Amino acid sequence: MAHDVWVRGPIGLDAASRVTRPGCRTVLAMVPTVTIGTRLVELISLLEQDLRVQVMFTVPHSVDRWAGAEEYVRGKHGLLLPWEQAVAHRFDLVLAASDQQIDQVRGPLLLIGHGVGRIPGRRFSRQAGGATVETTAIDRQSLTFRGRVLPSVLGLGTDAEVEVLRDRCPEAVPAAVVAGDICLDGMRAASGLREQYRRALGVGSRRLVVLSSTWFTDSAFGRVPTMYEAIVAALPRDRYAVAAVLHPNIWAVHGRRQVTAWLGRCQEAGLRVIPPEQGWQATMIAADWVIGDHGSTTGYAAAMGRPVTLASLPDGRPQTGSVADVVRAHAKPLDPDQPLERQEEAAIAAAPRLAAAVLPVVSTRLDCSAGILRSAMYRLLELSEPNTLAYPPSPAVPLPLPGRDA
């Protein structure tokens, strides 16, 4: 998108000369990455059908940006504003799932997380080099600018996170709302669609093993990339199907052609590669066993009661209080010298205890997030809330990527 070309959309001094629905409250969703976009689309589903509301999107940037974010918004057919146009306008509501450049937008801000829990599995920021101070997503440097608390509403998953906030940024506590986790609630509500998801994946009666990886060098795909080919080769195809879920940042940094090339032989051997835009939630619902790392997808699988084995962990122990730390305490590491079937049995036996331990770390408002978040958004919009029940959206049907293009 050319940065100097503004969209003739429903905002601006001359908007009245072109809109068909006048007087709508304006909502801006900030989508710096595909991961954040997928979370905000879940949130937007709670209000975008309202005839009083107009939703727009923007991709924040300064000197650089993550690849794929604009394509994601366009693929969802969202009205995409250039960043320069977005920061020049005041909105009735701004939605964000990351602290990236939230100080530059204008309007009441609702900030939620984009992963499982607000305490990350990694103790230190990936950008911090030799940092020695642990970081969370609710530290003062993330939530304030020049002494001002940025979010009008800060959505948290658990009551324990409020106490972390009280320690890390006490001035933001009045903005905190414990809302649970809309992604987990959507997955729980869609559990009855498990067989539909399995049919879409072509699993049949076989057991589905999902290989899950976050991004960065300490992830499963970063540390043990040969695991994918090894597991596909080791499991008999008449009894097992294997799928791979890779963090969208892997695709953004390395490019779709390169990632699919790296997994090309595995695909030829039967690996189902889930695209970064959608499908991972449904794939986790369909799974019988998840081999993952400290990333959010593994944490959500554990919360859903799926058996989990760990292929990788961040350097040192995961951060205390994080979902990754709880998963580490209850899930065994993958042992390349032991038969996979035996390790699967151990994961199955540990799954109920794992889920019971993980759930309260992800959400203390189970199955309530849609209602809580919708109420918060309508309060900020100064609109009466619809008198219908609020439901999280159902995860999209998973469509594995085809083999490599010629």
Side-chain angles (χ1 to χ4, degrees):
M1 177 184 295
H3 296 169
D4 58 344
V5 177
W6 286 22
V7 171
R8 289 178 58 84
I11 59 171
L13 294 177
D14 58 345
S17 67
R18 56 180 174 264
V19 295
T20 300
R21 284 286 307 150
C24 288
R25 295 289 204 274
T26 56
V27 179
L28 178 71
M30 300 176 64
V31 184
T33 69
V34 171
T35 305
I36 292 165
T38 59
R39 183 56 51 92
L40 291 182
V41 165
E42 294 172 339
L43 186 61
I44 289 165
S45 72
L46 302 177
L47 54 68
E48 66 182 343
Q49 294 185 21
D50 194 320
L51 290 170
R52 302 169 295 172
V53 172
Q54 164 75 61
V55 178
M56 289 157 275
F57 298 79
T58 192
V59 175
H61 65 87
S62 50
V63 296
D64 60 8
R65 70 181 71 184
W66 289 90
E70 288 189 1
E71 292 81 358
Y72 174 79
V73 174
R74 294 188 187 282
K76 293 294 182 182
H77 307 289
L79 177 59
L80 182 60
L81 302 179
W83 177 240
E84 291 83 355
Q85 184 177 7
V87 298
H89 186 79
R90 180 176 178 83
F91 295 86
D92 297 305
L93 174 63
V94 178
L95 303 177
S98 131
D99 62 3
Q100 294 182 49
Q101 294 169 274
I102 56 176
D103 61 298
Q104 297 184 38
V105 291
R106 292 187 290 168
L109 172 69
L110 187 150
L111 176 63
I112 61 172
H114 61 267
V116 66
R118 302 307 290 271
I119 302 174
R122 302 182 89 260
R123 295 174 61 198
F124 310 113
S125 169
R126 294 179 177 89
Q127 288 79 34
T132 57
V133 178
E134 293 184 352
T135 183
T136 76
I138 48 178
D139 293 343
R140 178 173 284 112
Q141 64 264 29
S142 299
L143 302 178
T144 66
F145 180 71
R146 295 180 177 174
R148 176 173 63 94
V149 175
L150 295 171
S152 302
V153 170
L154 175 64
L156 302 178
T158 68
D159 295 284
E161 289 175 353
V162 178
E163 298 311 309
V164 174
L165 180 67
R166 199 180 308 279
D167 176 61
R168 299 279 187 148
C169 187
E171 60 268 42
V173 170
V177 172
V178 181
D181 189 299
I182 191 171
C183 178
L184 176 62
D185 286 357
M187 293 173 71
R188 285 167 56 89
S191 294
L193 301 176
R194 174 176 160 85
E195 290 306 317
Q196 177 184 336
Y197 295 149
R198 289 174 64 84
R199 285 194 298 272
L201 291 166
V203 172
S205 61
R206 292 176 293 173
R207 298 189 63 74
L208 176 62
V209 181
V210 178
L211 309 181
S212 167
S213 179
T214 187
W215 66 291
F216 207 55
T217 54
D218 56 4
S219 68
F221 192 63
R223 284 218 167 122
V224 283
T226 57
M227 170 187 73
Y228 295 77
E229 192 167 0
I231 287 178
V232 169
L235 293 173
R237 291 185 66 174
D238 62 332
R239 292 193 292 120
Y240 287 90
V242 186
V245 171
L246 303 181
H247 194 285
N249 285 357
I250 297 176
W251 301 88
V253 171
H254 295 286
R256 182 168 299 213
R257 182 180 179 86
Q258 183 62 74
V259 175
T260 54
W262 282 333
L263 296 174
R265 284 194 299 270
C266 301
Q267 279 188 285
E268 293 170 3
L271 179 70
R272 292 147 174 81
V273 180
I274 307 304
E277 301 86 10
Q278 65 179 40
W280 72 262
Q281 297 101 322
T283 303
M284 291 302 175
I285 294 170
D288 295 296
W289 181 25
V290 174
I291 301 175
D293 55 21
H294 53 284
S296 290
T297 50
T298 305
Y300 281 118
M304 288 293 294
R306 299 298 176 261
V308 170
T309 299
L310 289 172
S312 175
L313 280 173
D315 294 325
R317 176 175 173 167
Q319 188 165 182
T320 301
S322 67
V323 173
D325 192 39
V326 177
V327 174
R328 180 208 58 83
H330 292 83
K332 293 185 176 181
L334 185 67
D335 186 342
D337 298 321
Q338 292 294 322
L340 288 174
E341 288 89 343
R342 188 180 303 169
Q343 297 185 69
E344 181 189 15
E345 291 171 1
I348 291 171
R353 294 191 302 276
L354 174 60
V358 166
L359 270 175
V361 185
V362 179
S363 171
T364 51
R365 300 293 187 274
L366 278 177
D367 306 320
C368 297
S369 63
I372 296 171
L373 290 170
R374 190 179 74 173
S375 293
M377 288 190 289
Y378 274 89
R379 174 166 59 84
L380 295 179
L381 285 168
E382 298 182 351
L383 286 176
S384 59
E385 190 174 354
N387 57 9
T388 57
L389 293 176
Y391 296 101
S394 294
V397 172
L399 299 173
L401 291 173
R404 283 187 66 195
D405 294 332

